[in-house]
Amino acid sequence: MAAKPPVVTAIYPGSFDPITNGHLDLIERGAKLFDRLIVAILQNEEKNSPLFSVEERMEMLREVVGAYPNVEIDYFHGLLVDYAAARKATVLLRGIRAISDYEKELQMALMNRRLRPEIETLFLMPAEAYSFVSSRLVKEVIGLGGNIAGLVPPSVEIRLRKRFNTAARVDR
Ligand code: PNS
C-alpha cells in the first residue's frame, strides 16, 4: 500500500491588529498551497498597546476565513518556532509587500532558521493593490477621519468605526 503523503502545515503569524485585505489575500493564497494553514496571532502581553484584544482579533479573523475549511485561527506567545514545532508545522508564511519589508523579514527568517533549521520560512507577495496597506496605516487613516473602504473586510471596517467612533465616509 502506498504511504500516505505528509500533511503540510503552515503558520501565518502576525499581530493582525486588525486584519487587512492584504492579510486576507495572503491567507487565500496560503490556503491553496498548504494542507493546513494556521493563522496565529502574537499575544505580546499588551506591550505595544494593541487597538484590539487577542479575542477580538481572533473573532475578526474567524468572521472572514469561513470560506476556507483548511484555515484555523489561533494565538501564541513565546518563540514562534517553538509554537510552530508544537503545532507540527514545517512552514512559516510571511508576506512581502515591498523592498522595505525585506530587511526585517530576512532577519526574522534567518533567526528562526538558526533556532529551528527544520522549519522553512516562505514568502508570498500580496496582490499589488494591497502593497501599501498595513494595519498601522489603516488605524491612522480612520483615526483621522479618512476613508478605509476596500482596505479591510467590511466587518472589520464596522468594528474600526465603532472603536474610533466615526461614521462611514461617502466622499469617495
Ligand atoms: O504582524 P507583525 O508584527 O509583522 O508580526 C511579527 C511576528 C509576530 C511574526 C514576530 O514578531 C514574531 O514572530 N514574534 C514572536 C517572537 C519570536 O519568535 N521572536 C524571535 C524570532 S524573530
Side-chain angles (χ1 to χ4, degrees):
M1 217 166 70
K4 242 169 92 182
V7 170
V8 178
T9 299
I11 307 274
Y12 179 30
S15 308
F16 304 106
D17 185 38
I19 180 177
T20 67
N21 281 344
H23 294 130
L24 193 54
D25 178 284
L26 225 74
I27 291 171
E28 282 169 16
R29 291 172 200 280
K32 285 187 205 141
L33 286 172
F34 307 108
D35 301 302
R36 197 158 68 115
L37 180 68
I38 302 171
V39 182
I41 301 169
L42 173 68
Q43 183 187 43
N44 53 1
E45 277 85 47
E46 317 299 305
K47 248 186 251 159
N48 301 326
S49 48
L51 181 63
F52 294 103
S53 68
V54 170
E55 291 72 26
E56 287 172 313
R57 285 180 265 165
M58 288 183 79
E59 267 174 39
M60 284 187 274
L61 278 158
R62 283 208 189 95
E63 279 162 12
V64 295
V65 303
Y68 311 101
N70 60 336
V71 175
E72 186 189 316
I73 310 299
D74 197 9
Y75 68 93
F76 73 101
H77 46 79
L79 281 179
L80 172 60
V81 286
D82 288 347
Y83 168 74
R87 298 300 318 263
K88 302 202 176 346
T90 50
V91 174
L92 302 175
L93 176 65
R94 291 288 289 170
I96 290 210
R97 291 164 297 192
I99 285 290
S100 49
D101 285 338
Y102 177 77
E103 217 166 312
K104 177 187 164 213
E105 292 300 329
L106 177 72
Q107 262 191 336
M108 286 203 298
L110 293 180
M111 179 59 82
N112 285 332
R113 179 182 285 167
R114 186 191 159 94
L115 293 168
R116 281 199 192 251
E118 69 278 16
I119 297 177
E120 286 292 354
T121 302
L122 288 183
F123 297 104
L124 289 178
M125 289 165 291
E128 64 221 50
Y130 304 124
S131 60
F132 63 96
V133 180
S134 70
S135 302
R136 183 183 63 79
L137 270 186
V138 162
K139 287 182 282 192
E140 185 175 319
V141 169
I142 193 161
L144 295 170
N147 187 356
I148 57 152
L151 304 182
V152 296
S155 55
V156 174
E157 188 182 343
I158 290 168
R159 282 190 194 242
L160 277 165
R161 276 204 243 109
K162 272 194 199 142
R163 190 59 47 105
F164 284 101
N165 206 13
T166 55
R169 290 273 294 245
V170 286
D171 54 352
R172 255 184 281 162

